C-alpha cells in the first residue's frame, strides 16, 4: 500500500496546538494509544547506518482503544543519502498476541531494539486528517499528516509532499522546520548513546 506522509515536531505545548488547529476548522475525531516494539535480528550490526538498521526492523504494534488491534508490521522505506524518504510501503498482518509473536521472533534470534509509546489525538477537516502524537519516550510532540486518496492520484510523491507542506504551514505552528521528522531515528540515536555502541 503506497503512502505519502509528513511528520513535524511541534514546539508549542499540546493545549496551544489544539487551539490553533481548531481555529483552522479541524474537528476532534478520537484518541488512542500505541506501543511499537522494533524487533531486529541479532546478526544485524548496530554500527551501520541508522536508516539501514530501521529497514531491517519488524514492528509489533499494539493499538489501545475501544477497538484494540495487534499487528505485525513491516515498513519498506527507501531513503536517499540525506535520509529523505523517496518511497514507502507498509505491510500489516493482524495477530492475536504481542507476547506470542515476540516469543516466535525471539526463537529465531530477534531482539527488541527499542519501544515507542504514543498517545494519538486525531483531528479532521474535510478529507485531511491530522495525527497529533505525544511520544512518551523519547518525549516529544509531533503531528503527522497523510495524503488523501485524491492527493495520491498524483504519481509524483514530491508533488504530493508539497501539498502536504502547504497544509502544515497553514496551521501556523512553531516547529523545527523539518517536515520529515523520524521518531524511530530519534529513539534509535538515544539508544545508541545510552548503550555506547560506538565504544571501541
Amino acid at each position: 500500500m503506497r503512502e505519502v506522509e509528513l511528520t513535524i515536531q511541534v514546539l508549542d505545548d499540546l493545549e496551544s496546538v489544539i487551539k490553533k488547529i481548531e481555529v483552522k476548522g479541524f474537528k476532534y475525531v478520537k484518541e488512542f494509544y500505541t506501543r511499537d516494539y522494533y524487533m531486529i535480528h541479532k546478526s544485524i550490526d548496530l554500527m551501520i547506518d541508522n536508516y539501514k538498521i530501521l529497514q531491517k526492523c519488524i514492528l509489533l504494534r499494539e493499538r489501545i482503544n475501544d477497538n484494540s488491534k495487534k499487528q505485525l508490521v513491516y515498513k519498506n522505506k527507501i531513503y536517499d543519502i540525506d535520509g529523505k524518504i523517496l518511497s514507502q510501503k507498509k505491510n500489516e498482518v493482524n495477530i492475536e498476541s504481542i507476547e506470542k509473536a515476540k516469543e516466535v521472533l525471539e526463537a529465531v534470534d530477534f531482539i527488541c531494539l527499542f519501544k515507542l509509546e504514543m498517545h494519538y489525538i486525531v483531528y479532521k477537516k474535510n478529507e485531511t486528517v491530522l495525527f497529533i502524537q505525544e511520544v512518551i519516550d523519547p518525549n516529544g510532540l509531533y503531528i503527522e499528516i497523510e495524503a488523501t486518496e485524491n492527493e495520491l492520484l498524483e504519481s509524483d510523491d514530491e508533488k504530493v509532499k508539497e501539498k502536504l507542506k502547504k497544509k502544515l504551514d497553514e496551521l501556523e505552528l512553531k516547529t523545527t522546520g523539518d517536515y520529515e521528522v523520524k521518531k524511530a531515528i530519534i529513539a534509535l540515536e538515544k539508544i545508541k548513546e545510552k548503550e555506547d555502541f560506538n565504544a571501541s
Side-chain angles (χ1 to χ4, degrees):
M1 181 174 65
R2 175 176 170 239
E3 290 187 343
V4 180
E5 62 187 31
L6 295 179
T7 301
I8 56 173
Q9 184 170 6
V10 184
L11 304 178
D12 298 286
D13 59 52
L14 178 60
E15 186 178 346
S16 297
V17 170
I18 289 173
K19 284 180 180 176
K20 286 182 178 181
I21 67 174
E22 286 182 346
V23 164
K24 299 294 182 181
F26 283 85
K27 304 294 182 185
Y28 173 86
V29 177
K30 61 183 176 181
E31 55 192 289
F32 56 91
Y33 288 83
T34 63
R35 292 192 196 101
D36 283 350
Y37 300 87
Y38 282 73
M39 307 293 293
I40 195 165
H41 197 269
K42 288 179 181 178
S43 65
I44 302 300
D45 179 6
L46 297 179
M47 296 283 285
I48 65 174
D49 178 77
N50 286 342
Y51 295 101
K52 290 182 180 177
I53 291 173
L54 290 183
Q55 285 177 325
K56 302 292 185 183
C57 286
I58 293 173
L59 276 64
L60 295 177
R61 172 168 290 171
E62 184 174 17
R63 177 170 163 167
I64 305 161
N65 62 357
D66 293 339
N67 184 26
S68 293
K69 185 162 55 173
K70 300 175 180 70
Q71 293 178 310
L72 186 147
V73 180
Y74 177 66
K75 295 183 177 182
N76 184 15
K77 295 187 178 183
I78 307 299
Y79 302 95
D80 69 10
I81 194 169
D82 298 315
K84 187 176 180 180
I85 298 172
L86 298 175
S87 67
Q88 61 180 323
K89 292 182 180 178
K90 183 164 63 176
N91 295 310
E92 302 169 319
V93 178
N94 291 332
I95 57 176
E96 290 185 8
S97 166
I98 294 291
E99 288 307 313
K100 286 183 180 178
K102 238 189 207 182
E103 286 176 13
V104 170
L105 289 172
E106 287 170 352
V108 289
D109 289 334
F110 275 73
I111 58 171
C112 182
L113 186 58
F114 61 89
K115 177 177 72 171
L116 275 182
E117 293 189 55
M118 286 182 279
H119 173 214
Y120 282 78
I121 308 172
V122 184
Y123 274 79
K124 187 174 183 180
K125 178 181 178 183
N126 301 322
E127 296 304 309
T128 300
V129 180
L130 299 177
F131 298 90
I132 302 173
Q133 304 167 335
E134 282 187 290
V135 179
I136 297 167
D137 184 25
N139 184 265
L141 187 63
Y142 305 85
I143 289 182
E144 182 180 295
I145 185 171
E146 296 179 351
T148 65
E149 287 185 16
N150 188 53
E151 287 165 343
L152 288 174
L153 294 175
E154 166 60 62
S155 59
D156 186 336
D157 285 0
E158 290 307 309
K159 289 182 179 178
V160 177
K161 286 179 183 180
E162 286 305 316
K163 292 179 182 179
L164 298 181
K165 283 180 184 179
K166 185 177 179 183
K167 288 182 177 181
L168 289 170
D169 289 343
E170 288 171 353
L171 299 176
E172 299 180 45
L173 299 170
K174 295 177 187 174
T175 74
T176 60
D178 185 354
Y179 291 93
E180 296 194 43
V181 174
K182 300 161 191 74
K183 301 179 292 295
I185 289 288
I186 295 170
L188 180 54
E189 286 174 348
K190 288 185 178 292
I191 290 293
K192 282 190 168 185
E193 288 171 10
K194 185 178 178 182
E195 299 296 331
D196 195 16
F197 290 123
N198 295 314
S200 55

